[in-house]
Amino acid sequence: MKRTKVKLQIQSSGVSSEGSTIKLSEAIAKKWKIPFHTPLKLCFGMDRQEVTVVPSSKVGVLQVSESLASRWNLPVNESLCLRYKTKARTLHIGPLIGVMVSRVFTDNPDKPFGVNTAFCRELTETCKKYGAAVFFCTPKDMLGESDTIRGWQFTNKWVKSSYPLPNVIYNRLTSRKTENLANVQQFIKHVKAQKDLVFFNDKYLNKMEVFDALKKEQGLSAFLPESHLLRNVSILKTMCGKYPVVFLKPVGGSLGKGIIRVNRSSGESFACYYTGKSGVRKKTFSSLEDLYASITQKKKVTRYQIQQGISLLTVNDRPVDFRALVQRGETGNWGVTSIVARIAGDHHYVSNLARGGSLSTVKDALTRSGNPNASSGNLKLRRAAVKIAKGIEAQVPGHFAELGIDLALDSQGRVWLIEVNSKPSKDDNAPLSVEGKIRPSVRKFVQYARFAAKF
């Protein structure tokens, strides 16, 4: 794609105080065949302004009035991408990117987004490099069907301003409860109705939705452990009869919370293992009816997925799984940005960092496993991750551009899908990144946003 960046400047007073005249570098106007002294529309985000373009001798510069720069909160003295649509006679600058975040800590001006502040700063710097603008908005800023939105932007300090609806909105809300607020849902409905606005990572994915969808996609069944919604004790009996270990997972759970491991013990007894921050506790039941009765109360508020247990690859007798960050890039295609191994903590059977797990490179984990069947594991994991992302795209309603895909290798070297997360934590990969450098995941996000907005 032919791409041009322009540096935004404030034009001298008296040229056009109301913003109807803009000055553009003659070379850029010639390149894009933008006519001078002819009424056009200048677009930033979803807003537009009738303008007339006049030539400027300044190279690579677009000069706008102070009032227009203020109304749109344009990043003055920074660069944005530019494109011109000849038939529509519209000149676009941007893209403007909005990121939905769960909350702002106003009492901490240096870290308003808590542990995600560094990511927001990194995203801001990456946008400057790639000719984009970004702001961050919370549920309190999402007001009905307004054509503007309040948001936070970093300009040597964090400031709150008003913006047009952006070209791209990325849903980074990290709470299902927050995402389901009435005003948030109304806002999402409003922005998704905008013809040219790209809204992605629409929603949290639930485990059964993902598995049911991927079963429909040819070639993916080999990655899917047998899974069912735990509707009754009959399903529990069938699964425990087929597999020595099964897992009960909250359909809407995350961070390994609430997962129950069920082991068939000697005789007719069954051992249940419950994970918590303090470790794992065990409870034994003499029958599956008793076991099912014990979780009936939980089922009233939590639906469970029952899943076949897998004999996972281990390091020092600790189970290992793998988190692949899969993103769309500058051409819109899916690719693996990073993949890390997660080794479960002592006495834990889930590998989440929140449950005492630790990170490792894939190569190191495969080597330390000592399993010869793991030798080609890295390539298998990467191929599976991309196939699963494409399966989500094909079978799950919504627009997704970034997925955290949790995978496992069994002792025979076979790849299995554990779960898919549409809101992968930015902290998961941070310990393995090079400090002070823009992470590939942040760069790919901006590149895709630019591609999706057609800049």
Side-chain angles (χ1 to χ4, degrees):
M1 177 189 288
K2 178 171 65 172
R3 184 175 288 123
T4 301
K5 288 200 285 188
V6 290
K7 186 174 183 179
L8 296 177
Q9 292 182 348
I10 300 296
Q11 61 195 13
S12 57
S13 58
V15 176
S16 173
S17 60
E18 79 284 2
S20 61
T21 300
I22 61 174
K23 300 181 74 174
L24 180 62
S25 161
E26 290 187 80
I28 292 175
K30 183 178 179 181
K31 176 181 177 180
W32 284 87
K33 298 179 181 178
I34 301 169
F36 289 127
H37 310 294
T38 302
L40 306 172
K41 288 185 177 68
L42 177 67
C43 302
F44 181 58
M46 295 295 102
D47 205 357
R48 55 188 59 205
Q49 164 82 38
E50 292 278 354
V51 297
T52 299
V53 183
V54 299
S56 170
S57 58
K58 291 189 175 183
V59 177
V61 166
L62 173 65
Q63 293 176 292
V64 300
S65 70
E66 189 170 359
S67 64
L68 183 59
S70 177
R71 175 158 67 90
W72 283 349
N73 200 31
L74 292 169
V76 176
N77 296 321
E78 300 289 346
S79 293
L80 288 177
C81 295
L82 173 147
R83 62 189 170 99
Y84 179 65
K85 292 184 177 179
T86 304
K87 289 183 179 179
R89 301 178 74 83
T90 55
L91 181 62
H92 298 257
I93 52 174
L96 177 61
I97 302 167
V99 181
M100 297 164 63
V101 294
S102 293
R103 61 177 297 192
V104 166
F105 300 90
T106 53
D107 58 344
N108 191 348
D110 292 330
K111 294 186 71 176
F113 306 108
V115 296
N116 291 312
T117 302
F119 161 71
C120 296
R121 284 282 305 272
E122 189 177 353
L123 183 52
T124 299
E125 292 304 312
T126 309
C127 282
K128 288 181 181 179
K129 179 178 178 181
Y130 284 92
V134 65
F135 67 87
F136 305 87
C137 59
T138 72
K140 290 182 179 180
D141 303 311
M142 300 169 197
L143 304 175
E145 299 185 356
S146 174
D147 291 330
T148 61
I149 182 169
R150 300 277 290 170
W152 297 82
Q153 191 175 59
F154 187 78
T155 53
N156 297 320
K157 63 178 181 178
W158 290 102
V159 293
K160 195 169 188 181
S161 305
S162 182
Y163 302 86
L165 288 180
N167 302 97
V168 174
I169 295 180
Y170 178 32
N171 179 359
R172 279 292 307 168
L173 297 178
T174 51
S175 158
R176 285 178 171 83
K177 183 178 178 181
T178 301
E179 189 172 80
N180 289 325
L181 289 172
N183 70 300
V184 173
Q185 287 299 310
Q186 185 181 6
F187 174 77
I188 290 174
K189 183 178 179 181
H190 171 55
V191 298
K192 288 175 77 170
Q194 306 298 312
K195 182 182 176 184
D196 296 318
L197 191 151
V198 179
F199 183 89
F200 60 81
N201 282 42
D202 295 43
K203 60 180 181 178
Y204 270 96
L205 297 170
N206 98 28
K207 292 178 175 61
M208 283 312 306
E209 176 187 24
V210 167
F211 275 73
D212 288 345
L214 293 181
K215 285 174 186 175
K216 302 172 187 174
E217 190 69 9
Q218 188 175 2
L220 295 186
S221 59
F223 303 130
L224 305 178
E226 185 175 355
S227 303
H228 305 279
L229 189 63
L230 183 61
R231 292 189 177 91
N232 50 53
V233 72
S234 297
I235 293 174
L236 181 64
K237 285 182 175 180
T238 300
M239 290 291 284
C240 288
K242 290 177 73 172
Y243 306 107
V245 177
V246 299
F247 286 92
L248 306 180
K249 299 180 177 182
V251 166
S254 60
L255 301 176
K257 293 178 183 176
I259 295 177
I260 303 169
R261 172 175 168 165
V262 181
N263 284 34
R264 189 168 59 229
S265 301
S266 57
E268 293 298 315
S269 66
F270 295 86
C272 271
Y273 297 87
Y274 305 83
T275 184
K277 287 188 177 180
S278 58
V280 176
R281 59 187 179 89
K282 177 183 175 182
K283 192 172 181 180
T284 302
F285 297 89
S286 59
S287 71
L288 286 174
E289 285 83 1
D290 289 344
L291 191 161
Y292 186 78
S294 77
I295 62 169
T296 299
Q297 289 301 113
K298 292 182 181 180
K299 275 183 84 267
K300 289 180 180 178
V301 293
T302 303
R303 294 193 306 156
Y304 283 91
Q305 174 195 43
I306 184 167
Q307 190 174 94
Q308 163 192 353
I310 313 261
S311 177
L312 297 184
L313 207 65
T314 61
V315 170
N316 298 328
D317 295 323
R318 299 178 184 182
V320 181
D321 66 24
F322 304 88
R323 162 60 65 92
L325 181 64
V326 189
Q327 296 175 290
R328 296 177 188 267
E330 59 185 339
T331 60
N333 297 318
W334 289 103
V336 175
T337 303
S338 64
I339 183 167
V340 294
R342 304 185 301 182
I343 303 171
D346 281 334
H347 311 300
H348 276 274
Y349 51 83
V350 295
S351 62
N352 301 76
L353 304 189
R355 296 285 174 266
S358 59
L359 292 180
S360 164
T361 63
V362 175
K363 181 179 179 182
D364 183 57
L366 296 180
T367 301
R368 290 169 63 195
S369 75
N371 189 323
N373 294 322
S375 59
S376 59
N378 197 350
L379 182 59
K380 288 181 182 177
L381 291 165
R382 288 177 175 272
R383 285 176 174 170
V386 172
K387 287 179 180 178
I388 290 165
K390 289 179 178 179
I392 294 290
E393 176 187 359
Q395 297 294 341
V396 177
H399 182 165
F400 298 93
E402 178 179 71
L403 297 167
I405 299 180
D406 292 347
L407 301 165
L409 284 169
D410 66 18
S411 53
Q412 302 304 309
R414 179 176 173 180
V415 178
W416 296 90
L417 173 65
I418 299 174
E419 67 178 40
V420 180
N421 186 346
S422 61
K423 309 290 180 72
S425 168
K426 296 305 173 187
D427 296 332
D428 271 0
N429 301 309
L432 298 180
S433 65
V434 180
E435 189 174 348
K437 290 189 176 182
I438 292 173
R439 282 173 285 181
S441 60
V442 179
R443 182 174 66 249
K444 282 187 79 169
F445 162 75
V446 177
Q447 290 175 329
Y448 178 70
R450 199 169 60 174
F451 167 84
K454 298 185 173 127
F455 276 98

